[in-house]
Amino acid sequence: MEALSRAAAGLAAAGQPHTGLAALDAALAEAVGHRLFTVLVLDATRGVSRRAYSSRPEAYPILGEKPLRRETEFHRLVVEEGRPRFCRDRADIIRAFPDHALILSLGCEGAVNLPIRWDGQTLGALNLLHGAGHYDEAQMPVLSVFAAVAVAPVLRILADAP
């Protein structure tokens, strides 16, 4: 609860949406841990996604938009079905991520992609990466609360989008 309280305080502070996302980063690091944390924002109307936050911008900078890849497991599970995607080991990372060499070089062999949902739609995803086997379904009660907390900054990002 302390980590969640700090995340809430970050969302109440000035400087949104970055302040809120940085507070989520710190709170998630404390609550469940991560070696890399990013926030992906989807613009389904325009068919694009963009990285809106990165805990390691030197490796994963905030970049421009990319087309949504609708044929992927990520799109089916996270975007369409609103369910998390777990990558439990190195083989899952290699299968799931085109940039797996960079991910593996950061010591990340496990991941979870959590949908950020509002009003029946997926607005984006919280992406947490760590060692193999670090994430599983038992963490979903706490992770789902953090994904819900992320709705406000993601709505702000979408509202400010061109």
Side-chain angles (χ1 to χ4, degrees):
M1 286 303 290
E2 291 178 26
L4 188 57
S5 293
R6 282 191 279 288
L11 289 171
Q16 298 302 324
H18 181 78
T19 302
L21 294 176
L24 278 171
D25 178 2
L28 280 162
E30 179 183 335
V32 295
H34 61 73
R35 293 180 182 160
L36 173 64
F37 169 67
T38 66
V39 178
L40 183 69
V41 176
L42 308 175
D43 184 335
T45 303
R46 294 179 45 237
V48 297
S49 67
R50 69 181 174 278
R51 189 178 306 119
Y53 181 86
S54 174
S55 66
R56 298 183 68 176
E58 70 288 351
Y60 277 92
I62 314 272
L63 298 173
E65 300 174 337
K66 294 180 184 177
L68 285 175
R69 295 176 39 218
R70 298 180 192 279
E71 73 285 356
T72 64
E73 179 185 53
F74 173 89
H75 195 276
R76 181 179 56 79
L77 286 175
V78 178
V79 177
E80 292 175 14
E81 297 176 17
R83 296 187 306 139
R85 177 180 71 168
F86 290 93
C87 294
R88 299 181 195 285
D89 58 25
R90 181 182 188 87
D92 284 351
I93 294 290
I94 291 169
R95 179 183 48 77
F97 296 100
D99 57 346
H100 60 268
L102 177 56
I103 290 170
L104 295 170
S105 77
L106 299 173
C108 300
E109 293 188 352
V112 60
N113 307 113
L114 300 162
I116 302 168
R117 293 187 52 89
W118 173 253
D119 197 23
Q121 295 183 352
T122 301
L123 305 176
L126 301 180
N127 306 302
L128 293 92
L129 295 92
H130 208 298
H134 188 80
Y135 302 110
D136 62 33
E137 289 82 357
Q139 297 159 320
M140 282 311 299
V142 68
L143 290 173
S144 64
V145 172
F146 281 106
V149 169
V151 167
V154 169
L155 283 173
R156 173 73 174 270
I157 291 165
L158 289 168
D160 290 346

